[in-house]
Amino acid sequence: MVVDELTEESVDHLFHALSDSTRRDILRRCAEEDRSVSRLADAYPMSFAGVQKHVAVLERAGLVTKERRGREQLVHTEPDAMDRVRQVLEELERTWRGRAERMSDLLAGRPRPRNTD
Amino acid sequence: MVVDELTEESVDHLFHALSDSTRRDILRRCAEEDRSVSRLADAYPMSFAGVQKHVAVLERAGLVTKERRGREQLVHTEPDAMDRVRQVLEELERTWRGRAERMSDLLAGRPRPRNTD
DNA sequence: CTCATCTACAACCATTCGGTTGTATGTTAG
DNA sequence: CTAACATACAACCGAATGGTTGTAGATGAG
């Protein structure tokens, strides 16, 4: 099942990871086929270490995982993570439509805000 | 139709706006019912100006719009924006599943990366 | 073994972010 | 008109981001 908590912080990480076009592109490339970090790095106009950091952000968000393969580190996407993103989005959209205001609280657990309503 | 460009930058803004729990909460509250900025501010443990900035981020992303109502400024959610987010996510997910690798390029237009594949 | 390759990670830097306070401007109530 | 309220916005600050270079450790090829 890998329900995987889905805390506010993890949702922060998920959306933050998706908020950069280079990282979204890394996701697309790795979805097509697993790639090593240095192979990925060849595709962008930045240093190897720079790409390494982007991969680390995607990793923290749980969107990709790395797997040793010889001296390379293969990056591959984690389908479950995408499900989590969609789940949050759907929850948000339900409230959007004005329905299931209660579900909102159950699914996402109101963040820090003290409800001064 | 409001196809609305959907440039890489606008996608950046969308996901960035969603990467903060306070902003997601603002979205939920405004989805339930339009609220003035100061009314929103009452709900969070931060200054009025702080909330103002969060609303500005949501506005830049096109997720909300403000409408003058007397001396207040009512914030209300923009359903179209949510559609755009879902659209990007679906595109990403298609590649995820290994299908329609071509669609990826058409829909999102590869970012800056020079394709050194 | 030796060397080239791939990775990890620290240190640094400019910019952005998330927050603050303070000031100015509009708008409505009395 | 005046006072109170709602907003706007600039200036500032510490922390995080997105990038860099440099160094060091594994691993595979020859």
Side-chain angles (χ1 to χ4, degrees):
Chain A
M1 265 250 229
V2 194
V3 179
D4 229 353
E5 287 276 12
L6 202 55
T7 62
E8 287 296 329
E9 197 190 16
S10 72
V11 176
D12 290 358
H13 291 337
L14 276 173
F15 283 115
H16 170 69
L18 291 172
S19 74
D20 181 280
S21 68
T22 297
R23 286 194 291 265
R24 290 193 299 275
D25 193 69
I26 290 177
L27 281 180
R28 292 194 200 95
R29 289 176 188 262
C30 291
E32 281 180 15
E33 177 184 25
D34 291 2
R35 285 159 205 254
S36 69
V37 183
S38 57
R39 184 131 161 54
L40 280 171
D42 292 337
Y44 308 97
M46 74 180 71
S47 68
F48 172 80
V51 174
Q52 233 180 348
K53 278 194 175 185
H54 280 304
V55 172
V57 171
L58 291 168
E59 219 180 348
R60 183 182 63 165
L63 285 162
V64 305
T65 54
K66 286 187 292 189
E67 190 185 354
R68 263 252 129 72
R69 177 95 172 226
R71 64 180 157 185
E72 297 181 329
Q73 193 90 264
L74 290 191
V75 181
H76 59 92
T77 53
E78 278 300 329
D80 287 347
M82 206 54 162
D83 289 342
R84 271 177 284 150
V85 180
R86 204 162 14 75
Q87 184 180 336
V88 175
L89 227 32
E90 280 168 10
E91 178 269 328
L92 215 39
E93 202 172 10
R94 267 192 298 277
T95 316
W96 217 260
R97 308 297 180 196
R99 308 171 225 142
E101 292 118 40
R102 282 294 143 84
M103 275 300 273
S104 166
D105 293 274
L106 288 179
L107 268 185
R110 282 287 157 81
R112 11 196 154 98
R114 57 202 49 187
N115 200 328
T116 314
D117 253 354
Chain B
M1 264 257 221
V2 194
V3 179
D4 229 353
E5 287 275 11
L6 202 54
T7 63
E8 287 295 329
E9 197 190 16
S10 73
V11 177
D12 289 358
H13 290 338
L14 276 173
F15 283 114
H16 170 70
L18 292 171
S19 73
D20 181 279
S21 68
T22 298
R23 285 194 291 265
R24 289 192 300 275
D25 194 69
I26 289 177
L27 282 179
R28 293 194 198 94
R29 288 174 190 264
C30 291
E32 282 180 14
E33 177 185 26
D34 290 2
R35 284 159 204 255
S36 69
V37 183
S38 57
R39 184 129 161 53
L40 281 171
D42 292 338
Y44 308 96
M46 75 180 70
S47 68
F48 171 79
V51 175
Q52 234 180 347
K53 279 194 176 185
H54 280 303
V55 171
V57 171
L58 291 169
E59 219 179 347
R60 182 181 64 165
L63 284 162
V64 305
T65 53
K66 287 186 292 187
E67 190 184 355
R68 263 253 129 68
R69 176 96 173 227
R71 63 180 158 185
E72 298 180 329
Q73 193 90 265
L74 291 192
V75 180
H76 58 92
T77 54
E78 277 301 328
D80 286 347
M82 206 53 162
D83 290 341
R84 272 177 284 149
V85 180
R86 208 167 6 78
Q87 184 180 336
V88 176
L89 228 33
E90 279 167 11
E91 179 269 327
L92 217 39
E93 202 173 7
R94 267 192 298 277
T95 316
W96 217 259
R97 307 299 180 195
R99 308 172 224 141
E101 292 115 42
R102 282 293 143 84
M103 273 302 273
S104 166
D105 293 275
L106 289 179
L107 265 185
R110 284 286 157 82
R112 8 192 156 104
R114 57 200 53 180
N115 200 329
T116 314
D117 254 356

